[in-house]
Amino acid sequence: MAERNAHADVRVLPPLIFLVPLALGLVLSRRRRMRRWAGPRLALARVLGALAVGLFGWATATMLRAGTNPEPWVPAAALVTDGPFRRTRNPIYLAYALAYLAFAIWRGSWAALGLLGTAVRLTNRLAIEPEEAYLRKRFGEAYERYTAKTPRWLPR
């Protein structure tokens, strides 16, 4: 029974890990925003936003097709290694980072852009590390092989 209920020890909702630094950055840059390149900046924000939505949808659909839940506090029913998971172990978190980047660019916030690295480091610490420890325990050697060939964040 304990094994069935075991799950990653993620104690913070992963989207909040990105939303808090983004909100802080937006508040800090209320008066100092990017003024130049408004047209190209908005176009870039739209492209990044579309990539974020597409990647999030693809990763979520891939997990659901494999019979597992994308929420880290729900026990994993399967190790998903196809779809976007072939190129990155964390496509949903990568989608969050792209959405953050898109929003910060759209709003013209230098401070929010500067805090993206903080959001990524916090995500590693508060979400990815507990998830990986759980998956390592749950799937053993299969997970070790997967991590050896697939990067955590950026596709190769």
Side-chain angles (χ1 to χ4, degrees), residues 51-71:
L51 287 172
V53 169
L55 181 58
F56 181 85
W58 185 22
T60 301
T62 301
M63 292 183 82
L64 294 174
R65 249 190 328 273
T68 197
N69 195 307
E71 296 167 341

Side-chain angles (χ1 to χ4, degrees), residues 43-125:
L44 176 60
R46 286 184 185 117
V47 168
L48 291 170
L51 287 172
V53 169
L55 181 58
F56 181 85
W58 185 22
T60 301
T62 301
M63 292 183 82
L64 294 174
R65 249 190 328 273
T68 197
N69 195 307
E71 296 167 341
W73 51 87
V74 175
L79 178 61
V80 182
T81 61
D82 60 335
F85 294 90
R86 282 185 302 226
R87 307 287 289 170
T88 174
R89 296 194 312 257
N90 296 287
I92 291 175
Y93 296 143
L94 182 56
Y96 290 162
L98 288 170
Y100 179 114
L101 185 59
F103 198 79
I105 290 171
W106 174 63
R107 297 292 299 167
S109 175
W110 288 110
L113 286 174
L115 290 171
L116 177 57
T118 299
V120 168
R121 284 190 300 281
L122 287 171
T123 299
N124 279 334
R125 180 79 173 109

